[in-house]
Amino acid sequence: MLQMLASSDEQVRPRFNQWLGVLASVLAGEGHELRLRAFSRYQSGHLHDEICRFLPQLIYIDADRFAADVTRHAVEFVGRNHALPVIVGGAYPTAQPDQALSIPGVLAIAIGEPESCVPRFIDARATGDSFEQTPGLWANTGAGVVKNDLASLTQSLDLLPFADRELFDYATHVTRTHSAQVSVCRGCPNRCSYCLNDWLTEIYLGKGPWVRRRSPANICDEIDTLCSRYEQIERLVFVDHAFALDAEWLAQFARVYAGRAGMPFTCHLRANAVDADTVRLLTDAGCAHAVVEVISGSDFIRNEIFDMDTTDRQIERTFRLLEAAGISTTAVNLVGSPYETAVTVEQTLTLNERIDPKHTMTRLFAPLPGTRAEELVQECGWLRGLGEHAFRDNEPLIHMPALPSDEVRAIFDQFNWQARHPRAAGLMRLLDRIPVAPGRSLYDLFVRQPVPNGRLLPADPRAIAVTESDGVIAP
Ligand code: SF4
């Protein structure tokens, strides 16, 4: 198995991914021997060495968003030098199936949830049966391209095996973070336009309810297994955005979890679905930290562009309730969104000042292929046409006349610090206009710190309380 990741690190370790972990467990349960290697760039020598070492019979590639280039190079290399069958699954082929299937050397792509089709495909090939008709797979066959409909969604998630973690070198993750990521559901009822959930909901239409939840008992069984295997776990991270979106399930979960696991945890909350009862249940269960997507202080961007159906008032109330309950908070902000201007950036800073989160996490808007947000920026002619390296290097992928990409980049570099020190933000912007050395301003001396890849990050340590490796994910 190869995991293709969008990362600025040249050498990457496998990143735990629930869907891939479950697929690995299913395959291992059927007697397949698996190895996993992660790549963020095309490294033919490294890939060749790994293939020679493990002599696989088949390569399954899990391709992340913004990892199409590295996937294409790897598949072409395998086809030219090793003639091994290659299946590509994950977010990339799910969002852009035609493009993924057209890569020379791809035998098939797995769309959506891979455990429902990849094992069937592998079995059929091994027994010499026809594999071309496997639901959920598109295949390049001697007779041309075969595009199968998706398989019905697995409704009882409790029937799936627990995700494999050994392949991801999970002991290292636990040693480093003292935490473990757990997924409680699949799918999300929301329709944020920057998220692939929308597309998944559409392609699975008619295949059964998209949002499915594990039983609290099943989740606690997995937690028991994790804690017995990794003794250093001190906190859990529930990675799903839909974690607290079903009040009835949350009430059951809080009761069972508090009685069985009772470990402090981080979860994701959507501010439009949080009230006093939600926070009470979270407190009863032992929630220590909540990650909430603020995204923008502009109602227009948040609701008209991103369809988040979330008001300022709901965001403010959520942070107030969490603070009163003693739950630590992280506000997630997005910079450089479509229609962002200096005014909307100021609105986002002002909103952060009002909600006063304990931590902030700022991301640069990136139009994810297959999303409505990407369609919008394409229609507006704002896509810069940069390669995927730009995403990895935190370069703005869009250029808007009202807020050019270089200004977006400068705002992004400063945003986290400013969100934490809103009153000093005006002064800092002034300092940033005073050069002290080529490419360095007075502001850099005080606030920003150089990091190895040359980017500048905010000095405020509170800004990195939640990291991507915590895996609070969508959907
Ligand atoms: S997973 Fe998150 S970003 Fe995606 S639709 Fe749901 S709430 Fe929105």
Side-chain angles (χ1 to χ4, degrees):
M1 289 175 148
L2 302 176
Q3 192 180 33
M4 300 307 187
L5 298 168
S7 167
S8 56
D9 299 332
E10 273 193 34
Q11 300 288 335
V12 283
R13 314 173 74 89
R15 192 180 294 164
F16 178 66
N17 162 330
Q18 179 71 17
W19 285 15
L20 186 58
V22 169
L23 173 64
S25 285
V26 172
L27 291 172
E30 292 180 357
H32 297 287
E33 202 182 328
L34 308 170
R35 294 283 184 282
L36 175 65
R37 289 293 177 266
F39 290 85
S40 61
R41 323 190 160 217
Y42 174 55
Q43 294 156 319
S44 56
H46 190 188
L47 184 55
H48 178 75
D49 292 348
E50 295 293 333
I51 291 173
C52 292
R53 185 176 323 157
F54 297 121
L55 300 175
Q57 293 176 315
L58 180 142
I59 293 184
Y60 176 81
I61 297 181
D62 180 84
D64 198 1
R65 316 174 267 195
F66 296 108
D69 287 348
V70 60
T71 301
R72 181 167 49 77
H73 285 306
V75 174
E76 287 174 358
F77 174 81
V78 171
R80 270 197 316 272
N81 298 285
H82 297 276
L84 286 165
V86 177
I87 313 175
V88 183
Y92 164 50
T94 298
Q96 295 168 284
D98 286 303
Q99 190 191 93
L101 190 65
S102 72
I103 297 173
V106 168
L107 177 60
I109 59 166
I111 300 174
E113 299 180 350
E115 80 281 343
S116 63
C117 57
V118 175
R120 263 175 85 171
F121 174 85
I122 293 173
D123 284 351
R125 280 195 87 242
T127 55
D129 293 343
S130 160
F131 59 83
E132 290 91 352
Q133 309 305 326
T134 310
L137 275 167
W138 289 12
N140 284 312
T141 73
V145 169
V146 176
K147 298 182 177 182
N148 294 300
D149 196 7
L150 287 173
S152 291
L153 286 161
T154 304
Q155 286 306 315
S156 177
L157 299 184
D158 289 5
L159 295 178
L160 296 175
F162 299 151
D164 185 288
R165 300 189 186 237
E166 306 300 323
L167 274 181
F168 297 88
D169 187 17
Y170 211 66
T172 301
H173 171 83
V174 173
T175 303
R176 198 163 48 83
T177 64
H178 293 266
S179 71
Q181 305 128 303
V182 176
S183 175
V184 303
C185 61
R186 285 188 177 184
C188 172
N190 287 331
R191 292 181 51 84
C192 307
S193 70
Y194 55 83
C195 175
L196 204 56
N197 182 62
D198 225 18
W199 171 243
L200 289 164
T201 309
E202 202 177 310
I203 62 175
Y204 274 115
L205 211 60
K207 301 295 177 190
W210 168 233
V211 184
R212 294 143 293 151
R213 290 179 182 278
R214 297 169 65 187
S215 69
N218 180 259
I219 295 164
C220 289
D221 288 346
E222 182 177 17
I223 292 169
D224 287 347
T225 308
L226 285 171
C227 290
S228 61
R229 189 171 305 160
Y230 307 106
E231 290 176 357
Q232 289 167 299
I233 295 175
E234 293 169 5
R235 119 191 127 99
L236 296 165
V237 179
F238 294 113
V239 296
D240 316 274
H241 279 200
F243 173 76
L245 295 183
D246 179 332
E248 202 180 315
W249 178 89
L250 188 63
Q252 285 174 24
F253 172 82
R255 200 174 51 249
V256 175
Y257 181 85
R260 282 191 56 182
M263 192 179 284
F265 66 85
T266 289
C267 67
H268 188 98
L269 296 179
R270 304 299 293 187
N272 60 355
V274 174
D275 58 18
D277 285 344
T278 318
V279 175
R280 184 182 47 74
L281 289 172
L282 291 171
T283 311
D284 291 350
C287 178
H289 175 217
V291 180
V292 185
E293 281 187 47
V294 171
I295 300 297
S296 174
S298 154
D299 187 74
F300 174 73
I301 290 177
R302 196 183 324 116
N303 293 314
E304 300 297 320
I305 302 301
F306 288 146
D307 225 350
M308 287 178 65
D309 191 23
T310 304
T311 63
D312 279 14
R313 187 185 286 240
Q314 288 171 325
I315 292 173
E316 289 174 54
R317 186 189 57 186
T318 296
F319 279 85
R320 230 181 13 252
L321 288 168
L322 291 169
E323 190 185 358
I327 296 174
S328 180
T329 51
T330 291
V332 180
N333 298 294
L334 212 52
V335 163
S337 303
Y339 294 101
E340 186 92 276
T341 63
V343 173
T344 61
V345 172
E346 205 59 49
Q347 286 174 324
T348 311
L349 287 168
T350 307
L351 181 56
N352 276 264
E353 186 179 357
R354 290 207 300 274
I355 61 179
D356 193 23
K358 177 87 174 137
H359 314 284
T360 56
M361 178 160 68
T362 304
R363 294 186 174 131
L364 198 54
F365 169 72
L368 181 62
T371 61
R372 283 181 290 137
E374 195 240 5
E375 270 172 35
L376 172 75
V377 296
Q378 216 159 25
E379 278 166 20
C380 292
W382 291 339
L383 273 181
R384 295 174 73 194
L386 303 176
E388 286 168 353
H389 64 89
F391 172 76
R392 294 195 304 254
D393 297 341
N394 267 333
E395 277 302 317
L397 300 183
I398 66 173
H399 181 86
M400 299 173 286
L403 195 67
S405 50
D406 54 343
E407 285 183 37
V408 167
R409 177 56 199 261
I411 291 167
F412 173 68
D413 283 340
Q414 299 172 22
F415 192 91
N416 246 341
W417 193 92
Q418 294 190 353
R420 290 306 310 155
H421 305 87
R423 291 195 181 88
L427 174 64
M428 290 301 121
R429 279 198 287 277
L430 198 66
L431 294 180
D432 202 30
R433 292 194 198 109
I434 303 173
V436 291
R440 301 274 287 160
S441 70
L442 206 50
Y443 175 88
D444 296 329
L445 287 186
F446 289 118
V447 181
R448 289 190 287 216
Q449 296 172 339
V451 290
N453 66 358
R455 285 194 300 123
L456 296 170
L457 289 178
D460 184 352
R462 290 175 297 184
I464 52 169
V466 174
T467 67
E468 293 293 343
S469 67
D470 268 346
V472 179
I473 56 163

PDB file of all heavy atoms in Angstrom, residues 4 54 109 126 161 166 173 196 200 217-218 233 242 274 308 353 407 416 423 425 445 460 473:
ATOM      1  N   MET A   4      -0.286   8.488  -0.548  1.00  0.00           N
ATOM      2  CA  MET A   4       0.214   9.710  -1.170  1.00  0.00           C
ATOM      3  C   MET A   4      -0.374  10.904  -0.431  1.00  0.00           C
ATOM      4  O   MET A   4      -1.595  11.112  -0.449  1.00  0.00           O
ATOM      5  CB  MET A   4      -0.174   9.754  -2.649  1.00  0.00           C
ATOM      6  CG  MET A   4       0.392   8.593  -3.445  1.00  0.00           C
ATOM      7  SD  MET A   4       2.179   8.442  -3.221  1.00  0.00           S
ATOM      8  CE  MET A   4       2.596   7.184  -4.399  1.00  0.00           C
ATOM      9  N   PHE A  54       9.840  -5.559  -0.760  1.00  0.00           N
ATOM     10  CA  PHE A  54       8.633  -6.288  -0.352  1.00  0.00           C
ATOM     11  C   PHE A  54       8.030  -7.166  -1.453  1.00  0.00           C
ATOM     12  O   PHE A  54       7.167  -7.973  -1.181  1.00  0.00           O
ATOM     13  CB  PHE A  54       7.577  -5.299   0.155  1.00  0.00           C
ATOM     14  CG  PHE A  54       8.034  -4.560   1.380  1.00  0.00           C
ATOM     15  CD1 PHE A  54       8.113  -3.185   1.398  1.00  0.00           C
ATOM     16  CD2 PHE A  54       8.423  -5.271   2.510  1.00  0.00           C
ATOM     17  CE1 PHE A  54       8.560  -2.511   2.520  1.00  0.00           C
ATOM     18  CE2 PHE A  54       8.869  -4.601   3.637  1.00  0.00           C
ATOM     19  CZ  PHE A  54       8.939  -3.226   3.648  1.00  0.00           C
ATOM     20  N   ILE A 109      -9.751   2.080 -10.253  1.00  0.00           N
ATOM     21  CA  ILE A 109      -9.836   3.033  -9.139  1.00  0.00           C
ATOM     22  C   ILE A 109     -11.004   2.618  -8.242  1.00  0.00           C
ATOM     23  O   ILE A 109     -12.007   2.084  -8.712  1.00  0.00           O
ATOM     24  CB  ILE A 109     -10.025   4.495  -9.618  1.00  0.00           C
ATOM     25  CG1 ILE A 109     -11.300   4.633 -10.467  1.00  0.00           C
ATOM     26  CG2 ILE A 109      -8.819   4.987 -10.381  1.00  0.00           C
ATOM     27  CD1 ILE A 109     -11.707   6.081 -10.685  1.00  0.00           C
ATOM     28  N   ALA A 126      -7.517 -12.945  -7.973  1.00  0.00           N
ATOM     29  CA  ALA A 126      -6.744 -14.101  -7.522  1.00  0.00           C
ATOM     30  C   ALA A 126      -7.370 -15.405  -7.996  1.00  0.00           C
ATOM     31  O   ALA A 126      -6.674 -16.365  -8.330  1.00  0.00           O
ATOM     32  CB  ALA A 126      -6.652 -14.087  -5.999  1.00  0.00           C
ATOM     33  N   PRO A 161     -14.346  -4.124  10.968  1.00  0.00           N
ATOM     34  CA  PRO A 161     -13.285  -4.341  11.973  1.00  0.00           C
ATOM     35  C   PRO A 161     -12.703  -3.005  12.418  1.00  0.00           C
ATOM     36  O   PRO A 161     -12.833  -2.000  11.722  1.00  0.00           O
ATOM     37  CB  PRO A 161     -12.243  -5.153  11.195  1.00  0.00           C
ATOM     38  CG  PRO A 161     -12.479  -4.822   9.765  1.00  0.00           C
ATOM     39  CD  PRO A 161     -13.941  -4.516   9.614  1.00  0.00           C
ATOM     40  N   GLU A 166      -1.132  -0.577  13.256  1.00  0.00           N
ATOM     41  CA  GLU A 166       0.283  -0.962  13.228  1.00  0.00           C
ATOM     42  C   GLU A 166       0.942  -0.493  11.935  1.00  0.00           C
ATOM     43  O   GLU A 166       2.084  -0.027  11.931  1.00  0.00           O
ATOM     44  CB  GLU A 166       0.433  -2.489  13.337  1.00  0.00           C
ATOM     45  CG  GLU A 166      -0.266  -3.106  14.540  1.00  0.00           C
ATOM     46  CD  GLU A 166       0.253  -2.563  15.853  1.00  0.00           C
ATOM     47  OE1 GLU A 166       1.457  -2.330  15.932  1.00  0.00           O
ATOM     48  OE2 GLU A 166      -0.569  -2.332  16.762  1.00  0.00           O
ATOM     49  N   HIS A 173       3.131   7.648  16.942  1.00  0.00           N
ATOM     50  CA  HIS A 173       2.159   8.743  17.102  1.00  0.00           C
ATOM     51  C   HIS A 173       1.758   8.885  18.574  1.00  0.00           C
ATOM     52  O   HIS A 173       1.702   9.996  19.112  1.00  0.00           O
ATOM     53  CB  HIS A 173       0.923   8.455  16.241  1.00  0.00           C
ATOM     54  CG  HIS A 173      -0.216   9.396  16.483  1.00  0.00           C
ATOM     55  ND1 HIS A 173      -0.305  10.632  15.887  1.00  0.00           N
ATOM     56  CD2 HIS A 173      -1.299   9.309  17.311  1.00  0.00           C
ATOM     57  CE1 HIS A 173      -1.386  11.249  16.310  1.00  0.00           C
ATOM     58  NE2 HIS A 173      -2.022  10.472  17.181  1.00  0.00           N
ATOM     59  N   LEU A 196     -15.648  17.966   0.611  1.00  0.00           N
ATOM     60  CA  LEU A 196     -15.990  16.892  -0.323  1.00  0.00           C
ATOM     61  C   LEU A 196     -17.260  16.142   0.096  1.00  0.00           C
ATOM     62  O   LEU A 196     -17.808  15.355  -0.676  1.00  0.00           O
ATOM     63  CB  LEU A 196     -14.804  15.916  -0.393  1.00  0.00           C
ATOM     64  CG  LEU A 196     -14.677  15.067  -1.647  1.00  0.00           C
ATOM     65  CD1 LEU A 196     -14.618  15.927  -2.889  1.00  0.00           C
ATOM     66  CD2 LEU A 196     -13.437  14.185  -1.553  1.00  0.00           C
ATOM     67  N   LEU A 200     -19.740  13.442  -1.931  1.00  0.00           N
ATOM     68  CA  LEU A 200     -19.953  12.072  -1.474  1.00  0.00           C
ATOM     69  C   LEU A 200     -21.443  11.802  -1.268  1.00  0.00           C
ATOM     70  O   LEU A 200     -21.950  10.738  -1.621  1.00  0.00           O
ATOM     71  CB  LEU A 200     -19.180  11.831  -0.171  1.00  0.00           C
ATOM     72  CG  LEU A 200     -17.659  11.754  -0.344  1.00  0.00           C
ATOM     73  CD1 LEU A 200     -16.955  11.907   0.995  1.00  0.00           C
ATOM     74  CD2 LEU A 200     -17.261  10.431  -0.982  1.00  0.00           C
ATOM     75  N   ALA A 217     -21.031   1.516  22.535  1.00  0.00           N
ATOM     76  CA  ALA A 217     -20.340   0.332  23.087  1.00  0.00           C
ATOM     77  C   ALA A 217     -19.210  -0.114  22.155  1.00  0.00           C
ATOM     78  O   ALA A 217     -18.107  -0.469  22.605  1.00  0.00           O
ATOM     79  CB  ALA A 217     -21.342  -0.801  23.292  1.00  0.00           C
ATOM     80  N   ASN A 218     -19.487  -0.085  20.859  1.00  0.00           N
ATOM     81  CA  ASN A 218     -18.468  -0.480  19.882  1.00  0.00           C
ATOM     82  C   ASN A 218     -17.269   0.475  19.930  1.00  0.00           C
ATOM     83  O   ASN A 218     -16.098   0.051  19.858  1.00  0.00           O
ATOM     84  CB  ASN A 218     -19.109  -0.502  18.490  1.00  0.00           C
ATOM     85  CG  ASN A 218     -18.148  -0.901  17.397  1.00  0.00           C
ATOM     86  OD1 ASN A 218     -17.633  -0.053  16.679  1.00  0.00           O
ATOM     87  ND2 ASN A 218     -17.871  -2.192  17.290  1.00  0.00           N
ATOM     88  N   ILE A 233      -1.504   6.332  25.995  1.00  0.00           N
ATOM     89  CA  ILE A 233      -2.660   7.176  25.619  1.00  0.00           C
ATOM     90  C   ILE A 233      -3.236   7.844  26.872  1.00  0.00           C
ATOM     91  O   ILE A 233      -3.584   7.181  27.843  1.00  0.00           O
ATOM     92  CB  ILE A 233      -3.756   6.323  24.930  1.00  0.00           C
ATOM     93  CG1 ILE A 233      -3.249   5.774  23.605  1.00  0.00           C
ATOM     94  CG2 ILE A 233      -5.018   7.158  24.712  1.00  0.00           C
ATOM     95  CD1 ILE A 233      -4.203   4.825  22.910  1.00  0.00           C
ATOM     96  N   ALA A 242     -19.042  15.450  12.388  1.00  0.00           N
ATOM     97  CA  ALA A 242     -20.445  15.196  12.765  1.00  0.00           C
ATOM     98  C   ALA A 242     -20.554  14.605  14.172  1.00  0.00           C
ATOM     99  O   ALA A 242     -21.634  14.175  14.573  1.00  0.00           O
ATOM    100  CB  ALA A 242     -21.078  14.245  11.745  1.00  0.00           C
ATOM    101  N   VAL A 274     -24.891  23.573  18.548  1.00  0.00           N
ATOM    102  CA  VAL A 274     -24.452  23.502  19.943  1.00  0.00           C
ATOM    103  C   VAL A 274     -25.409  24.328  20.807  1.00  0.00           C
ATOM    104  O   VAL A 274     -25.662  25.497  20.513  1.00  0.00           O
ATOM    105  CB  VAL A 274     -23.018  24.057  20.100  1.00  0.00           C
ATOM    106  CG1 VAL A 274     -22.612  24.111  21.573  1.00  0.00           C
ATOM    107  CG2 VAL A 274     -22.026  23.210  19.314  1.00  0.00           C
ATOM    108  N   MET A 308     -22.375  27.406   5.285  1.00  0.00           N
ATOM    109  CA  MET A 308     -22.191  26.774   6.601  1.00  0.00           C
ATOM    110  C   MET A 308     -23.421  26.895   7.494  1.00  0.00           C
ATOM    111  O   MET A 308     -23.484  26.229   8.539  1.00  0.00           O
ATOM    112  CB  MET A 308     -20.977  27.398   7.324  1.00  0.00           C
ATOM    113  CG  MET A 308     -19.660  26.974   6.735  1.00  0.00           C
ATOM    114  SD  MET A 308     -18.287  27.784   7.583  1.00  0.00           S
ATOM    115  CE  MET A 308     -18.406  27.116   9.235  1.00  0.00           C
ATOM    116  N   GLU A 353     -11.784  38.114  18.440  1.00  0.00           N
ATOM    117  CA  GLU A 353     -11.617  38.903  19.667  1.00  0.00           C
ATOM    118  C   GLU A 353     -12.837  38.719  20.582  1.00  0.00           C
ATOM    119  O   GLU A 353     -12.708  38.554  21.790  1.00  0.00           O
ATOM    120  CB  GLU A 353     -11.450  40.382  19.293  1.00  0.00           C
ATOM    121  CG  GLU A 353     -11.136  41.248  20.497  1.00  0.00           C
ATOM    122  CD  GLU A 353     -10.955  42.709  20.113  1.00  0.00           C
ATOM    123  OE1 GLU A 353     -11.013  43.031  18.917  1.00  0.00           O
ATOM    124  OE2 GLU A 353     -10.763  43.524  21.021  1.00  0.00           O
ATOM    125  N   GLU A 407      -0.837  39.473  -1.063  1.00  0.00           N
ATOM    126  CA  GLU A 407      -1.391  40.070   0.166  1.00  0.00           C
ATOM    127  C   GLU A 407      -2.039  38.997   1.040  1.00  0.00           C
ATOM    128  O   GLU A 407      -1.935  39.029   2.265  1.00  0.00           O
ATOM    129  CB  GLU A 407      -2.425  41.148  -0.189  1.00  0.00           C
ATOM    130  CG  GLU A 407      -1.777  42.418  -0.689  1.00  0.00           C
ATOM    131  CD  GLU A 407      -2.801  43.516  -0.960  1.00  0.00           C
ATOM    132  OE1 GLU A 407      -3.780  43.626  -0.211  1.00  0.00           O
ATOM    133  OE2 GLU A 407      -2.599  44.241  -1.951  1.00  0.00           O
ATOM    134  N   ASN A 416      -2.639  34.190  12.746  1.00  0.00           N
ATOM    135  CA  ASN A 416      -2.796  33.512  14.049  1.00  0.00           C
ATOM    136  C   ASN A 416      -2.380  34.423  15.194  1.00  0.00           C
ATOM    137  O   ASN A 416      -3.042  34.512  16.216  1.00  0.00           O
ATOM    138  CB  ASN A 416      -1.946  32.241  14.075  1.00  0.00           C
ATOM    139  CG  ASN A 416      -2.817  31.007  14.151  1.00  0.00           C
ATOM    140  OD1 ASN A 416      -3.980  31.085  14.524  1.00  0.00           O
ATOM    141  ND2 ASN A 416      -2.265  29.880  13.799  1.00  0.00           N
ATOM    142  N   ARG A 423      -5.818  43.473  19.858  1.00  0.00           N
ATOM    143  CA  ARG A 423      -5.623  44.903  20.127  1.00  0.00           C
ATOM    144  C   ARG A 423      -4.283  45.387  19.593  1.00  0.00           C
ATOM    145  O   ARG A 423      -4.125  46.549  19.251  1.00  0.00           O
ATOM    146  CB  ARG A 423      -5.738  45.188  21.619  1.00  0.00           C
ATOM    147  CG  ARG A 423      -7.160  44.998  22.094  1.00  0.00           C
ATOM    148  CD  ARG A 423      -7.434  45.583  23.445  1.00  0.00           C
ATOM    149  NE  ARG A 423      -8.808  45.307  23.795  1.00  0.00           N
ATOM    150  CZ  ARG A 423      -9.213  44.204  24.409  1.00  0.00           C
ATOM    151  NH1 ARG A 423      -8.350  43.289  24.756  1.00  0.00           N
ATOM    152  NH2 ARG A 423     -10.482  44.006  24.673  1.00  0.00           N
ATOM    153  N   ALA A 425      -2.943  44.190  16.912  1.00  0.00           N
ATOM    154  CA  ALA A 425      -2.833  43.854  15.491  1.00  0.00           C
ATOM    155  C   ALA A 425      -2.550  45.072  14.620  1.00  0.00           C
ATOM    156  O   ALA A 425      -1.728  45.015  13.699  1.00  0.00           O
ATOM    157  CB  ALA A 425      -4.114  43.157  15.029  1.00  0.00           C
ATOM    158  N   LEU A 445      10.921  40.687  13.420  1.00  0.00           N
ATOM    159  CA  LEU A 445      11.848  40.584  14.546  1.00  0.00           C
ATOM    160  C   LEU A 445      11.119  40.231  15.832  1.00  0.00           C
ATOM    161  O   LEU A 445      11.605  39.490  16.664  1.00  0.00           O
ATOM    162  CB  LEU A 445      12.578  41.917  14.754  1.00  0.00           C
ATOM    163  CG  LEU A 445      13.642  42.281  13.739  1.00  0.00           C
ATOM    164  CD1 LEU A 445      14.347  43.547  14.182  1.00  0.00           C
ATOM    165  CD2 LEU A 445      14.655  41.151  13.592  1.00  0.00           C
ATOM    166  N   ASP A 460       3.312  32.603  18.687  1.00  0.00           N
ATOM    167  CA  ASP A 460       2.446  32.247  19.797  1.00  0.00           C
ATOM    168  C   ASP A 460       2.289  30.728  19.889  1.00  0.00           C
ATOM    169  O   ASP A 460       1.705  30.109  19.004  1.00  0.00           O
ATOM    170  CB  ASP A 460       1.081  32.892  19.570  1.00  0.00           C
ATOM    171  CG  ASP A 460       0.155  32.647  20.744  1.00  0.00           C
ATOM    172  OD1 ASP A 460       0.534  31.858  21.624  1.00  0.00           O
ATOM    173  OD2 ASP A 460      -0.924  33.253  20.768  1.00  0.00           O
ATOM    174  N   ILE A 473     -11.185  15.721  11.241  1.00  0.00           N
ATOM    175  CA  ILE A 473     -11.305  15.612   9.789  1.00  0.00           C
ATOM    176  C   ILE A 473     -12.705  15.909   9.266  1.00  0.00           C
ATOM    177  O   ILE A 473     -13.649  15.984  10.017  1.00  0.00           O
ATOM    178  CB  ILE A 473     -10.949  14.180   9.316  1.00  0.00           C
ATOM    179  CG1 ILE A 473     -11.852  13.166  10.045  1.00  0.00           C
ATOM    180  CG2 ILE A 473      -9.500  13.887   9.483  1.00  0.00           C
ATOM    181  CD1 ILE A 473     -11.904  11.822   9.405  1.00  0.00           C
TER     182      ILE A 473
END
